[in-house]
Amino acid sequence: MKILVVNDDGIDAKGIHILAEAAKELGEVWVVAPDRQCSAMSQCITVRGELAVRKREFPVEGVHAYSVSGTPADCVKVALLHILPQKPDIVFSGINFGYNAGQDILYSGTVGAAVEALSNGIPAIAFSNEANDIYDVVEKYLLLIAKDLSGRSLPSDTLWNVNFPGCSLEDYQGILENRIPADTQFYQDYYEVKEQSENGFLLEAGGNPIKEAQEGTDIRAVMDRYISIGTITSGVLTSAREV
């Protein structure tokens, strides 16, 4: 199996190194990732200007690695058009630093790259972990889940979305499938006024995690220390197929 690994946190992020290491157990791995932090870019692409593509040293042996001075979706496009010798069998996106659950899915560059894969007829899985440095659950279950989901078929307009709780194995509760996106953001936006003048003001953006979520949702699953597995369907692709 030929696997394209992308992310939105950048090629130097710990999450993509862990994902590439697991993917290597399943096939030939090509990493094409942004050269910098590109979170919350959704499926944004570069339509003007230049993109710098660089072959990179990578901490996972036997992996082909390139950085792109563009967005996560750019990375998928560049990989397919200029880097990979042939179309990959699947795209793994992540592992994101922070959940991609609930309405945060709409903003996610991790999910945006996976949707870009679907747009090119390639199955995709988006992987995310809690925004901390605890990867105990990821390291134990990532390969098992990646192998399992890679072998399952989905409609061509649908991708897998996997969120891992950032907790110890002692606190981990199990795997919940068929989780639906919660109807709220996990990270509630706020904008703090830092400076103010007659002509305007300066804001600092941030987000606070919510405290509660409905049963059956992806956010509730990770709050309760389960791995959340669900699917995301691209409405644009669905509409195109219905016409």
Side-chain angles (χ1 to χ4, degrees):
M1 185 161 64
K2 288 181 172 55
I3 304 166
L4 171 61
V5 177
V6 300
N7 77 346
D8 71 1
D9 291 321
I11 195 165
D12 295 317
K14 181 177 180 179
I16 199 170
H17 301 161
I18 295 173
L19 184 55
E21 185 74 55
K24 193 177 72 167
E25 299 299 316
L26 302 176
E28 180 183 343
V29 177
W30 295 74
V31 171
V32 183
D35 62 3
R36 63 194 187 284
Q37 171 59 250
C38 286
S39 290
M41 287 200 171
S42 188
Q43 205 177 345
C44 173
I45 59 171
T46 301
V47 295
R48 295 181 181 85
E50 299 175 336
L51 291 172
V53 181
R54 300 280 185 266
K55 192 169 185 178
R56 296 286 295 265
E57 294 292 327
F58 199 73
V60 180
E61 187 177 353
V63 168
H64 313 277
Y66 293 80
S67 66
V68 178
S69 63
T71 69
D74 283 332
C75 290
V76 176
K77 288 181 175 291
V78 169
L80 298 182
L81 293 174
H82 290 281
I83 298 177
L84 272 66
Q86 62 189 81
K87 185 184 260 190
D89 298 295
I90 195 165
V91 169
F92 290 171
S93 188
I95 299 168
N96 192 65
F97 185 76
Y99 296 135
N100 280 309
Q103 293 179 352
D104 290 310
I105 289 169
L106 299 171
Y107 308 108
S108 168
T110 303
V111 174
V115 173
E116 184 63 39
L118 294 186
S119 301
N120 288 275
I122 305 165
I125 307 174
F127 297 94
S128 303
N129 190 63
E130 189 171 354
N132 58 31
D133 288 318
I134 303 173
Y135 289 90
D136 298 16
V137 178
V138 166
E139 289 171 352
K140 185 170 180 63
Y141 293 101
L142 173 60
L143 179 58
L144 175 70
I145 290 173
K147 184 176 181 180
D148 177 31
L149 298 184
S150 296
R152 298 198 214 176
S153 61
L154 285 176
S156 59
D157 59 358
T158 304
L159 62 93
W160 294 107
N161 188 39
V162 182
N163 284 276
F164 292 90
C167 64
S168 67
L169 293 176
E170 289 77 14
D171 292 334
Y172 166 68
Q173 298 299 308
I175 299 173
L176 292 176
E177 296 199 33
N178 303 314
R179 299 302 92 183
I180 61 173
D183 60 357
T184 184
Q185 290 177 245
F186 179 76
Y187 301 101
Q188 297 291 300
D189 301 319
Y190 68 82
Y191 301 91
E192 181 181 352
V193 178
K194 304 297 288 186
E195 295 179 16
Q196 200 157 9
S197 69
E198 293 181 358
N199 296 322
F201 47 93
L202 178 66
L203 298 176
E204 182 176 351
N208 291 317
I210 62 173
K211 304 297 185 184
E212 295 291 337
Q214 291 178 314
E215 291 286 351
T217 64
D218 48 11
I219 294 180
R220 182 57 185 264
V222 291
M223 280 182 166
D224 291 341
R225 296 320 196 188
Y226 289 88
I227 296 172
S228 169
I229 299 178
T231 57
I232 300 170
T233 300
S234 170
V236 174
L237 296 177
T238 300
S239 298
R241 285 175 175 82
E242 290 174 350
V243 172

